[in-house]
Amino acid sequence: MTEETGTIDAAGTTAPSGSAEHTEETPAVSFDADPATYRHWTLDTSGSAETGVAYLRLDIDETGGIVPGYELKMNSYDLGVDIELYDATQRLRFEHPEVRTVVVTSAKDKNFCAGANIRMLAQSSHPWKVNFCKFTNETRNGIEDATANSGQTYLAAVNGTAAGGGYELALACEQILLIDDNSSAVSLPEVPLLGVLPGTGGLTRVIDKRKVRKDRADVFATTSEGMRGKRAVEWKLVDEVVPKRAWDETVAERAATAAAGSSRPADASGVALTPLQREETADGITYEHVKATFDRDRGLVEITVLGPDGGVPESCARVHELGADFWPLAMTRELDDLILRLRANELELGTWLIRTQGDVEDALAFERVIEQHSKDDWLVNEIRHYFKRVLKRLDVTSRSLIALIEPGSCFAGALLELAFACDRQYMLDGTLDEDDSEQGDEAQIMLSASNFGTFPMSNGISRLGSRFYGDDDHVAKLRQETDRRIEAREALELGLVTDAPDDIDWEDEIRIMLEERASLSPDALTGMEANHRFVGPETMESRIFSRLTAWQNWIFVRPNASGPEGALRKYGTGRKAEFDRRRV
Amino acid sequence: MSIDYSEKIPNNVDLAGDRKLQRALESWQPNFLNWWKTMGPAVPTEDVYLRTAVDVGKEGWAQFGHVAMEEYRWGVFLAERGDDRRIAFGEQKGEAAWQQVPGEYRADLQRLIVIQGDTEPASVEQQRRLGETAPSLYDLRNLFQVNVEEGRHLWAMVYLLHAFFGRNGREEAEALLHRNSGDLDSPRILGAFNEETPDWLSFFMFTYFTDRDGKYQLGTLKESAFDPLSRTCEFMLKEEAHHMFVGTTGIDRVVTRTCELMREHDTDEIAPHGGVPLDVIQKYVNFHYSVSLDLFGSEQSTNAANYFTAGLKGRWQEERRKDDHVLTEDSAKIDLVRDGVVTQDEVPALLALNSDLRNEYVKDCQSGLKRWNRILEKAGFDQRLYLPHVGFNRHVGLFSDHYVTPAGDLVGKDTWEAKEDCWLPSEGDKVHVQSLMRPVYEPGKIASWIAPPTNGINGKPFEYEYVHLA
């Protein structure tokens, strides 16, 4: 992530001072976007019905930063740019079944993308930087997910210099074509120029995905000008260099080849992702199927996911007809939006209480539709993978997640994954008989096939597999327990919940637990939770979060990067950073 | 099934209206009774003339009558107070006292209550067999009164655990019955409560010195920001005062009898004449006082500082103290050994809170010594009883690695051990005291080694049949 050294306009500017962190004046971030009003991207699907190829062109509006204080020169991006990118990737999957290849390229001459804007990073608070990087990482993982699971292959047509985050964006694509104009290069100049890491998957993907030898990766990541031409191919940094005159043609050819192998359906029509209906107040956000109530005194937010209310579609055709109103899709979109907003805008609500409310049977009926059709229907498949990605968002959310399983809840199958994503699960044993025992049935959960691998975590295994890591026998035993109602005491015995207090204890236990949690160090909690959530094997994806991001976040708070004399602050001032030379 | 809760379990915590508390106590109560039967007083009785608290008011807190002990109505009482109590000290000084346990302090408060609660049944266990050698029915009755009230104090702590600490609290309440004094596998938490109370002289010493530690601990918890704990302890302090009365007058009567025997036989060596020699009394004082000092914990304590700052545990008579009640800027002197001499050191006041409480305790202990010396003086003897130096015979705190004589001199291990039998009860002393312990169950009669009390209980004469043995 950098802007090219020579061209940055440093004349007469000074580095932002330490007090310039904009925590206070940061506006609430909205994640709404619409291709018609994109400021930074154009999504060109004009030929895709015929060719199966869409073009996603980066054309950043320099004056369109999401917060004031910097110009987005050289196709450098900030959170606002990435919000549009995320929107585009989602729409490509849901609205454009005809798109089989997505060509990511630049509309600007000579600049593919200069990565994250340095001035933006230099002036940003630590939480902003971390949130920004997490979101961009998730979007890039989503791009790879589209390639792997949607038959929608991303191809980077690097038609100018790709530096830092620009190259990292290309790395998220399945293929990288680099224009051979004797000047355009790919580079990761963060270490030599900025004293930080290429933290949006760069270091990881170079070695894990591109399989670049580690010594070469070392050379590459410390060479600010990057690499081009044959050597870039030889080092596997790009797949192909293409002369300028054959550029468009070759890109189209490669795109067509990729499209030919796609599993996307013929003659399908997409589903419009209509704007989310959302009511925001100072005390919460309410969607149709998800609601969040803020409790600022206690530093928590109570999230309730409302299950479907009957109306199980009788056919796949009906699912398509319902489109964005189909409950699993509607609920997932709302939950996704809520997670993003809470993460970006409600830093002090450190605990998320997650409940569901609805009918267990209805929830499972919907899930059966997904299960039956996810292999043969592209839309159902998309919904499944979308819910998977939202669950993963929850997994990497730096908040304490607590599931409360109470009477009237519908933690069944896929929705039960929400509870398993939490750090703890509390299930009420019996009913709260404040209403003279007339409240209804006891709380129940239900396992289904979905809990055994349909929604893997970033470590590649299911949440149950992670929960009972190393105890395959128990997981096998749990497989026998699917599709039946499990009440609190049994859930506790099966290890599916943390605790199952009865009505005598429920209120006190929960209150005390939450107060206790709120009194602990938020940093220690974040670190502890992140360690506990991801057990077992590493994948490229998990390494990006657990290793690259963790190191990056450490470097971000170190004076060598963000101190007044640090590299991030000194960049573009014409002055050199002063490092504390001690290795830590 | 309808139970008249106010009849069965006297209380002022609206037990009848609190279904949750009822269910918790109902499952606990049979276990308590079972514990009482197996670990409580060993001497079988029909009934005992006991005081029962049925209310917190003047009328209610002391109702006398003969009661079968297993039918004693252990109640739950909190001192009555206004709802607008404010926190008197620490970081949150001036804020409203807590009516619920704040989650942030759950673990600490629970620990404090469990430790306090653990001592209550422990003393019943320690004194289990004492009834077999009671010097009179009056004393036997006092022992039982102390026992049932320790039982009630256990109830008070259990109430707090049940009402405010959820499942964890219930489990801890259960564990209070499962740990037993002197049990090798599952002993009581504090060491001093795992020693059997072997004889009545020890019992009086225990109620004077060790129960007085309890008084001071309760006094600090009475200041707690957690209002139910504060109110519980305030009421317990009332009963605790009676236990110390048993100790104070008990030692009064031993000293009185010792004086009589010394005069009668014109010798200090009254052991052969069925009395407790004065120097043995002094050794018992030395032992029980020093062991009780250990219960205050280390003179310098970060735990105590944290509890204070958080508002969990105040100082003795916190609100009467004339300082800022926050103490972050204050300093205090603590006793310690440095460079081979017993001296004092100035440390931050917050770290010296255990020492502060201990100093209050020491002052209070002095008053008993004055009383007993007055008896000696009146009887025309020059000998005096005294409290040994705070560093003497300590196993906890800054003196625990040093050998300090009762006079406060630092000596070597060998010197100290050579003199140990002069300062602490020797085997011979214990055997002698033990030999005096013969039960006297006849109304109006008393053992040879102790004088009768000057007054009976609740206006009844000494001869009254306080206990009907089974």
Short mmCIF file of all heavy atoms in Angstrom, two decimals, chain A residues 287-327:
data_model
loop_
_atom_site.label_atom_id
_atom_site.label_comp_id
_atom_site.label_asym_id
_atom_site.label_seq_id
_atom_site.Cartn_x
_atom_site.Cartn_y
_atom_site.Cartn_z
N TYR A 287 -33.58 -3.79 11.57
CA TYR A 287 -33.84 -4.24 10.20
C TYR A 287 -35.10 -5.09 10.27
O TYR A 287 -35.70 -5.26 11.34
CB TYR A 287 -32.69 -5.09 9.68
CG TYR A 287 -31.32 -4.47 9.72
CD1 TYR A 287 -30.56 -4.50 10.88
CD2 TYR A 287 -30.77 -3.88 8.58
CE1 TYR A 287 -29.29 -3.96 10.92
CE2 TYR A 287 -29.49 -3.34 8.61
CZ TYR A 287 -28.75 -3.38 9.77
OH TYR A 287 -27.49 -2.84 9.81
N GLU A 288 -35.45 -5.65 9.14
CA GLU A 288 -36.64 -6.48 9.17
C GLU A 288 -36.42 -7.76 9.97
O GLU A 288 -37.26 -8.17 10.75
CB GLU A 288 -37.05 -6.83 7.72
CG GLU A 288 -38.47 -7.33 7.65
CD GLU A 288 -38.84 -7.78 6.24
OE1 GLU A 288 -38.13 -7.38 5.29
OE2 GLU A 288 -39.82 -8.52 6.10
N HIS A 289 -35.27 -8.38 9.81
CA HIS A 289 -35.04 -9.67 10.46
C HIS A 289 -33.97 -9.64 11.54
O HIS A 289 -33.70 -10.67 12.16
CB HIS A 289 -34.63 -10.72 9.41
CG HIS A 289 -35.56 -10.80 8.25
ND1 HIS A 289 -36.81 -11.33 8.35
CD2 HIS A 289 -35.43 -10.37 6.98
CE1 HIS A 289 -37.42 -11.25 7.17
NE2 HIS A 289 -36.60 -10.66 6.31
N VAL A 290 -33.36 -8.52 11.69
CA VAL A 290 -32.28 -8.42 12.67
C VAL A 290 -32.48 -7.12 13.42
O VAL A 290 -32.78 -6.09 12.81
CB VAL A 290 -30.90 -8.39 11.96
CG1 VAL A 290 -29.79 -8.22 12.99
CG2 VAL A 290 -30.67 -9.65 11.15
N LYS A 291 -32.33 -7.20 14.73
CA LYS A 291 -32.37 -5.92 15.44
C LYS A 291 -31.26 -5.87 16.48
O LYS A 291 -30.87 -6.88 17.06
CB LYS A 291 -33.75 -5.66 16.02
CG LYS A 291 -34.09 -6.44 17.22
CD LYS A 291 -35.47 -6.06 17.73
CE LYS A 291 -35.76 -6.95 18.93
NZ LYS A 291 -37.09 -7.29 19.18
N ALA A 292 -30.79 -4.67 16.68
CA ALA A 292 -29.70 -4.48 17.63
C ALA A 292 -30.07 -3.34 18.55
O ALA A 292 -30.48 -2.27 18.10
CB ALA A 292 -28.42 -4.15 16.88
N THR A 293 -29.95 -3.59 19.85
CA THR A 293 -30.24 -2.56 20.84
C THR A 293 -28.97 -2.26 21.61
O THR A 293 -28.34 -3.17 22.14
CB THR A 293 -31.33 -3.05 21.82
OG1 THR A 293 -32.39 -3.61 21.05
CG2 THR A 293 -31.85 -1.91 22.66
N PHE A 294 -28.62 -0.99 21.64
CA PHE A 294 -27.37 -0.62 22.31
C PHE A 294 -27.63 -0.37 23.79
O PHE A 294 -28.60 0.26 24.16
CB PHE A 294 -26.78 0.67 21.72
CG PHE A 294 -26.57 0.62 20.23
CD1 PHE A 294 -26.49 1.79 19.50
CD2 PHE A 294 -26.45 -0.59 19.57
CE1 PHE A 294 -26.29 1.76 18.13
CE2 PHE A 294 -26.26 -0.64 18.20
CZ PHE A 294 -26.18 0.55 17.47
N ASP A 295 -26.72 -0.86 24.60
CA ASP A 295 -26.77 -0.56 26.02
C ASP A 295 -25.42 0.07 26.35
O ASP A 295 -24.46 -0.62 26.70
CB ASP A 295 -27.00 -1.85 26.82
CG ASP A 295 -27.22 -1.58 28.31
OD1 ASP A 295 -26.78 -0.50 28.77
OD2 ASP A 295 -27.80 -2.44 28.98
N ARG A 296 -25.36 1.37 26.19
CA ARG A 296 -24.06 2.04 26.31
C ARG A 296 -23.53 2.01 27.73
O ARG A 296 -22.33 1.96 27.96
CB ARG A 296 -24.15 3.47 25.80
CG ARG A 296 -24.48 3.51 24.32
CD ARG A 296 -24.35 4.91 23.75
NE ARG A 296 -24.99 4.96 22.44
CZ ARG A 296 -24.44 4.50 21.33
NH1 ARG A 296 -23.23 3.97 21.36
NH2 ARG A 296 -25.09 4.55 20.19
N ASP A 297 -24.44 2.02 28.71
CA ASP A 297 -23.98 1.98 30.10
C ASP A 297 -23.22 0.69 30.38
O ASP A 297 -22.22 0.67 31.08
CB ASP A 297 -25.16 2.07 31.07
CG ASP A 297 -25.77 3.47 31.05
OD1 ASP A 297 -25.05 4.39 30.60
OD2 ASP A 297 -26.93 3.61 31.44
N ARG A 298 -23.75 -0.38 29.82
CA ARG A 298 -23.11 -1.67 30.08
C ARG A 298 -22.11 -2.05 28.99
O ARG A 298 -21.50 -3.11 29.04
CB ARG A 298 -24.17 -2.77 30.22
CG ARG A 298 -25.04 -2.57 31.46
CD ARG A 298 -25.74 -3.86 31.84
NE ARG A 298 -26.74 -4.27 30.85
CZ ARG A 298 -27.24 -5.50 30.77
NH1 ARG A 298 -26.82 -6.44 31.59
NH2 ARG A 298 -28.14 -5.80 29.88
N GLY A 299 -21.97 -1.18 27.99
CA GLY A 299 -20.99 -1.44 26.93
C GLY A 299 -21.33 -2.66 26.11
O GLY A 299 -20.44 -3.40 25.70
N LEU A 300 -22.61 -2.87 25.87
CA LEU A 300 -22.95 -4.04 25.07
C LEU A 300 -24.08 -3.75 24.10
O LEU A 300 -24.78 -2.75 24.20
CB LEU A 300 -23.28 -5.24 25.96
CG LEU A 300 -24.44 -5.18 26.95
CD1 LEU A 300 -25.76 -5.49 26.26
CD2 LEU A 300 -24.20 -6.20 28.05
N VAL A 301 -24.21 -4.65 23.14
CA VAL A 301 -25.31 -4.54 22.20
C VAL A 301 -26.04 -5.88 22.19
O VAL A 301 -25.41 -6.95 22.22
CB VAL A 301 -24.81 -4.12 20.79
CG1 VAL A 301 -23.67 -4.98 20.33
CG2 VAL A 301 -25.93 -4.16 19.77
N GLU A 302 -27.34 -5.79 22.23
CA GLU A 302 -28.15 -7.01 22.19
C GLU A 302 -28.64 -7.21 20.78
O GLU A 302 -29.40 -6.40 20.25
CB GLU A 302 -29.33 -6.89 23.15
CG GLU A 302 -28.86 -6.59 24.56
CD GLU A 302 -29.94 -6.83 25.61
OE1 GLU A 302 -30.51 -7.94 25.61
OE2 GLU A 302 -30.20 -5.91 26.40
N ILE A 303 -28.19 -8.27 20.16
CA ILE A 303 -28.54 -8.54 18.77
C ILE A 303 -29.55 -9.68 18.74
O ILE A 303 -29.33 -10.73 19.37
CB ILE A 303 -27.28 -8.96 17.98
CG1 ILE A 303 -26.28 -7.82 17.98
CG2 ILE A 303 -27.66 -9.39 16.56
CD1 ILE A 303 -24.91 -8.19 17.39
N THR A 304 -30.64 -9.47 18.06
CA THR A 304 -31.61 -10.56 17.92
C THR A 304 -31.82 -10.82 16.43
O THR A 304 -32.13 -9.92 15.67
CB THR A 304 -32.96 -10.19 18.57
OG1 THR A 304 -32.72 -9.81 19.92
CG2 THR A 304 -33.91 -11.37 18.53
N VAL A 305 -31.62 -12.07 16.07
CA VAL A 305 -31.89 -12.48 14.70
C VAL A 305 -33.26 -13.15 14.70
O VAL A 305 -33.48 -14.11 15.44
CB VAL A 305 -30.81 -13.46 14.19
CG1 VAL A 305 -31.17 -13.98 12.80
CG2 VAL A 305 -29.44 -12.77 14.18
N LEU A 306 -34.17 -12.59 13.92
CA LEU A 306 -35.51 -13.15 13.88
C LEU A 306 -35.56 -14.25 12.82
O LEU A 306 -35.19 -14.03 11.67
CB LEU A 306 -36.54 -12.06 13.54
CG LEU A 306 -36.51 -10.85 14.46
CD1 LEU A 306 -37.50 -9.80 13.98
CD2 LEU A 306 -36.84 -11.26 15.89
N GLY A 307 -36.03 -15.39 13.23
CA GLY A 307 -36.14 -16.51 12.31
C GLY A 307 -37.25 -16.27 11.32
O GLY A 307 -38.00 -15.30 11.43
N PRO A 308 -37.38 -17.16 10.34
CA PRO A 308 -38.43 -16.99 9.34
C PRO A 308 -39.80 -17.20 9.99
O PRO A 308 -39.92 -17.94 10.96
CB PRO A 308 -38.14 -18.10 8.34
CG PRO A 308 -37.39 -19.13 9.12
CD PRO A 308 -36.60 -18.38 10.15
N ASP A 309 -40.78 -16.54 9.44
CA ASP A 309 -42.12 -16.66 9.97
C ASP A 309 -42.95 -17.41 8.94
O ASP A 309 -43.68 -16.83 8.16
CB ASP A 309 -42.66 -15.23 10.21
CG ASP A 309 -43.99 -15.28 10.94
OD1 ASP A 309 -44.37 -16.38 11.40
OD2 ASP A 309 -44.65 -14.24 11.01
N GLY A 310 -42.82 -18.71 8.93
CA GLY A 310 -43.55 -19.52 7.95
C GLY A 310 -43.11 -19.21 6.53
O GLY A 310 -42.01 -18.69 6.31
N GLY A 311 -43.96 -19.51 5.59
CA GLY A 311 -43.71 -19.15 4.20
C GLY A 311 -42.51 -19.82 3.58
O GLY A 311 -41.76 -19.21 2.81
N VAL A 312 -42.29 -21.06 3.95
CA VAL A 312 -41.17 -21.79 3.35
C VAL A 312 -41.44 -21.98 1.86
O VAL A 312 -42.51 -22.48 1.49
CB VAL A 312 -41.01 -23.18 4.01
CG1 VAL A 312 -39.78 -23.86 3.48
CG2 VAL A 312 -40.95 -23.03 5.52
N PRO A 313 -40.52 -21.56 1.00
CA PRO A 313 -40.79 -21.68 -0.43
C PRO A 313 -40.89 -23.15 -0.83
O PRO A 313 -40.10 -23.98 -0.39
CB PRO A 313 -39.58 -21.01 -1.10
CG PRO A 313 -38.59 -20.79 -0.02
CD PRO A 313 -39.23 -20.97 1.30
N GLU A 314 -41.89 -23.44 -1.66
CA GLU A 314 -42.13 -24.84 -2.01
C GLU A 314 -41.21 -25.29 -3.14
O GLU A 314 -41.05 -26.47 -3.39
CB GLU A 314 -43.60 -25.08 -2.36
CG GLU A 314 -44.15 -24.25 -3.52
CD GLU A 314 -44.43 -22.79 -3.13
OE1 GLU A 314 -44.25 -22.43 -1.94
OE2 GLU A 314 -44.80 -22.03 -4.03
N SER A 315 -40.61 -24.32 -3.82
CA SER A 315 -39.73 -24.71 -4.93
C SER A 315 -38.57 -23.75 -5.06
O SER A 315 -38.57 -22.66 -4.50
CB SER A 315 -40.52 -24.68 -6.24
OG SER A 315 -40.82 -23.33 -6.54
N CYS A 316 -37.61 -24.19 -5.83
CA CYS A 316 -36.46 -23.36 -6.08
C CYS A 316 -36.85 -22.11 -6.88
O CYS A 316 -36.31 -21.03 -6.69
CB CYS A 316 -35.45 -24.18 -6.87
SG CYS A 316 -33.78 -23.87 -6.36
N ALA A 317 -37.83 -22.31 -7.75
CA ALA A 317 -38.29 -21.17 -8.55
C ALA A 317 -38.82 -20.06 -7.65
O ALA A 317 -38.60 -18.88 -7.88
CB ALA A 317 -39.39 -21.64 -9.51
N ARG A 318 -39.50 -20.50 -6.61
CA ARG A 318 -40.06 -19.53 -5.66
C ARG A 318 -38.93 -18.77 -4.96
O ARG A 318 -39.05 -17.58 -4.67
CB ARG A 318 -40.95 -20.28 -4.66
CG ARG A 318 -41.56 -19.43 -3.57
CD ARG A 318 -42.59 -18.44 -4.09
NE ARG A 318 -43.06 -17.61 -2.99
CZ ARG A 318 -43.39 -16.32 -3.11
NH1 ARG A 318 -43.30 -15.72 -4.30
NH2 ARG A 318 -43.81 -15.64 -2.07
N VAL A 319 -37.84 -19.46 -4.67
CA VAL A 319 -36.69 -18.81 -4.04
C VAL A 319 -36.20 -17.68 -4.94
O VAL A 319 -35.95 -16.55 -4.49
CB VAL A 319 -35.54 -19.81 -3.79
CG1 VAL A 319 -34.28 -19.10 -3.33
CG2 VAL A 319 -35.95 -20.87 -2.78
N HIS A 320 -36.11 -17.97 -6.24
CA HIS A 320 -35.64 -16.94 -7.19
C HIS A 320 -36.62 -15.78 -7.27
O HIS A 320 -36.22 -14.63 -7.37
CB HIS A 320 -35.42 -17.57 -8.57
CG HIS A 320 -34.17 -18.39 -8.62
ND1 HIS A 320 -33.02 -17.95 -9.22
CD2 HIS A 320 -33.89 -19.62 -8.11
CE1 HIS A 320 -32.08 -18.89 -9.09
NE2 HIS A 320 -32.59 -19.91 -8.42
N GLU A 321 -37.88 -16.14 -7.20
CA GLU A 321 -38.92 -15.11 -7.25
C GLU A 321 -38.81 -14.18 -6.04
O GLU A 321 -38.91 -12.97 -6.16
CB GLU A 321 -40.25 -15.84 -7.24
CG GLU A 321 -41.40 -15.11 -7.91
CD GLU A 321 -42.61 -16.03 -7.87
OE1 GLU A 321 -42.55 -17.10 -8.52
OE2 GLU A 321 -43.57 -15.72 -7.16
N LEU A 322 -38.59 -14.79 -4.90
CA LEU A 322 -38.46 -13.99 -3.68
C LEU A 322 -37.18 -13.15 -3.70
O LEU A 322 -37.15 -12.03 -3.19
CB LEU A 322 -38.45 -14.90 -2.45
CG LEU A 322 -39.78 -15.51 -2.03
CD1 LEU A 322 -39.55 -16.64 -1.04
CD2 LEU A 322 -40.69 -14.44 -1.42
N GLY A 323 -36.14 -13.72 -4.25
CA GLY A 323 -34.89 -12.99 -4.39
C GLY A 323 -34.40 -12.44 -3.07
O GLY A 323 -34.25 -13.18 -2.09
N ALA A 324 -34.17 -11.14 -3.03
CA ALA A 324 -33.62 -10.52 -1.82
C ALA A 324 -34.56 -10.60 -0.64
O ALA A 324 -34.17 -10.33 0.49
CB ALA A 324 -33.23 -9.08 -2.11
N ASP A 325 -35.83 -10.96 -0.92
CA ASP A 325 -36.77 -11.11 0.20
C ASP A 325 -36.78 -12.51 0.79
O ASP A 325 -37.42 -12.75 1.81
CB ASP A 325 -38.19 -10.77 -0.28
CG ASP A 325 -38.33 -9.30 -0.60
OD1 ASP A 325 -37.60 -8.50 0.03
OD2 ASP A 325 -39.14 -8.96 -1.48
N PHE A 326 -36.11 -13.41 0.13
CA PHE A 326 -36.00 -14.77 0.66
C PHE A 326 -35.29 -14.67 2.01
O PHE A 326 -34.17 -14.16 2.10
CB PHE A 326 -35.22 -15.63 -0.34
CG PHE A 326 -35.00 -17.06 0.06
CD1 PHE A 326 -36.07 -17.85 0.51
CD2 PHE A 326 -33.74 -17.63 -0.02
CE1 PHE A 326 -35.86 -19.17 0.87
CE2 PHE A 326 -33.52 -18.95 0.34
CZ PHE A 326 -34.59 -19.73 0.79
N TRP A 327 -35.94 -15.18 3.05
CA TRP A 327 -35.45 -14.92 4.41
C TRP A 327 -33.96 -15.16 4.63
O TRP A 327 -33.26 -14.29 5.18
CB TRP A 327 -36.30 -15.69 5.44
CG TRP A 327 -35.72 -15.60 6.82
CD1 TRP A 327 -35.84 -14.57 7.70
CD2 TRP A 327 -34.86 -16.56 7.46
NE1 TRP A 327 -35.13 -14.81 8.84
CE2 TRP A 327 -34.52 -16.04 8.72
CE3 TRP A 327 -34.34 -17.81 7.08
CZ2 TRP A 327 -33.69 -16.72 9.61
CZ3 TRP A 327 -33.52 -18.49 7.97
CH2 TRP A 327 -33.21 -17.95 9.22
#
